[in-house]
Amino acid sequence: MIRCVIVDDEFLARERLKKLLAEHSDFEVVAEAKNGELGVEVIKIKAPDVVFLDIQMPDLDGFGVINNLDKVPHIVFTTAYDHYALKAFDVHALDYLLKPFDEDRLSDTLELVRDRIASDQSSLLASQMKSLLKTFDESKGKFRRSFLIKEKGFENEVMVEEVIYMEAQGNYVKLVTEKKDYLYRIGMNVLESELDPMHFMRIHRTYILSKQWIEKQSYQGNNEFKFTLRNGAVLNSSRSFKKHIAEHSTDH
């Protein structure tokens, strides 16, 4: 729905425009104002998509309304005086309706409004998507993506998403995957700091779990939890990690 505000000091002009807009189901008049000062107020409150704005009004003219707005919506000027046309487009008005305009002329304007709003929404969506992708790329660069395992003179890259859980074993960590287990030399505290907390959770000084592999999580009392993983492994948390688990886990 395209939200509209009408600002015009002539009552009959406002009523006629509302009647014409009612014929277009995707346009909704959310407010109207009988002068420029009230127009500024309702535009700030309602934040419409488009304003049908008379230019010549006694207290504050259409250009004055625009000058008093922090955020200017799309503007369609409506006026009986064609000598304002050039100035109207100088302030980037979307269109200029010369009174008395007919239904066909208004329909052309509304089509222009639709196209511009659709273009704005497309640009906003593209901008949001670009920002999301940038955040995702930054996140990927921030956290560990793989482990380079050296075995019998060969190097094997194990991606973090392959790991079901990790278990501390002295100066090493055992990486448990569906295919096999690997030993990787690293401390658990260092490893935890390198893993994305959106996907991994430490439940014990000995264990870090992949959240996507948790099948069931149940409270055992005494601030301890039991985690059943999809590969059949059952691991218990320690009391000291209760707060950490509450902050990072989801119900399963």
Side-chain angles (χ1 to χ4, degrees):
M1 187 68 70
I2 298 173
R3 303 170 72 254
C4 313
V5 164
I6 300 172
V7 183
D8 197 312
D9 64 327
E10 297 179 13
F11 173 77
L12 292 178
R14 296 197 306 272
E15 290 298 302
R16 180 172 182 272
L17 182 52
K18 281 194 294 183
K19 183 177 179 181
L20 292 174
L21 287 171
E23 299 297 317
H24 300 266
S25 59
D26 54 338
F27 282 80
E28 177 188 12
V29 177
V30 296
E32 59 181 285
K34 63 182 180 181
N35 59 54
E37 290 182 355
L38 288 175
V40 171
E41 290 182 23
V42 297
I43 292 169
K44 288 181 177 179
I45 293 170
K46 294 295 185 178
D49 300 304
V50 60
V51 177
F52 292 90
L53 180 61
D54 190 16
I55 292 181
Q56 193 168 59
M57 292 181 287
D59 60 334
L60 186 68
D61 67 16
F63 301 111
V65 170
I66 292 174
N67 289 334
N68 280 275
L69 295 174
D70 298 321
K71 184 178 180 181
V72 182
H74 294 303
I75 300 292
V76 173
F77 279 118
T78 59
T79 181
Y81 305 94
D82 60 1
H83 60 273
Y84 289 115
L86 287 177
K87 188 175 179 182
F89 290 110
D90 281 343
V91 295
H92 305 292
L94 191 56
D95 205 354
Y96 182 97
L97 291 173
L98 189 62
K99 298 176 183 177
F101 49 84
D102 58 20
E103 293 181 35
D104 289 340
R105 179 66 183 88
L106 178 63
S107 293
D108 291 341
T109 296
L110 299 186
E111 194 60 36
L112 186 62
V113 172
R114 290 186 187 99
D115 289 345
R116 180 63 60 86
I117 289 176
S119 176
D120 288 349
Q121 290 173 342
S122 177
S123 297
L124 176 61
L125 181 62
S127 177
Q128 291 173 335
M129 185 63 69
K130 188 179 293 184
S131 176
L132 180 63
L133 290 173
K134 181 181 178 184
T135 301
F136 179 68
D137 287 340
E138 289 174 350
S139 175
K140 286 197 302 183
K142 181 179 178 181
F143 299 109
R144 175 182 285 274
R145 299 179 62 188
S146 66
F147 301 90
L148 193 61
I149 308 295
K150 296 181 180 181
E151 292 181 318
K152 300 176 182 178
F154 293 96
E155 291 184 344
N156 183 25
E157 186 177 24
V158 178
M159 306 305 293
V160 291
E161 56 264 30
E162 297 179 55
V163 180
I164 300 169
Y165 70 92
M166 305 161 193
E167 180 182 351
Q169 293 192 352
N171 294 325
Y172 289 82
V173 170
K174 181 171 73 171
L175 310 175
V176 179
T177 73
E178 283 190 280
K179 296 178 180 179
K180 62 179 292 187
D181 301 343
Y182 302 90
L183 283 179
Y184 187 78
R185 188 178 179 89
I186 192 172
M188 283 292 275
N189 290 337
V190 174
L191 176 58
E192 181 185 12
S193 71
E194 294 180 356
L195 296 172
D196 188 346
M198 290 290 292
H199 303 295
F200 291 92
M201 173 174 60
R202 192 170 184 180
I203 65 166
H204 193 283
R205 63 182 182 84
T206 304
Y207 298 116
I208 296 175
L209 309 182
S210 169
K211 292 182 182 181
Q212 68 176 356
W213 278 88
I214 299 174
E215 186 173 78
K216 185 179 180 182
Q217 171 184 326
S218 56
Y219 184 60
Q220 301 298 294
N222 199 28
N223 292 334
E224 295 179 350
F225 293 84
K226 180 172 75 174
F227 293 86
T228 303
L229 306 184
R230 290 194 284 114
N231 71 332
V234 177
L235 303 175
N236 294 315
S237 70
S238 62
R239 285 178 290 172
S240 60
F241 281 85
K242 183 199 174 186
K243 183 178 179 182
H244 185 78
I245 292 168
E247 291 175 349
H248 293 87
S249 66
T250 54
D251 294 331
H252 291 269

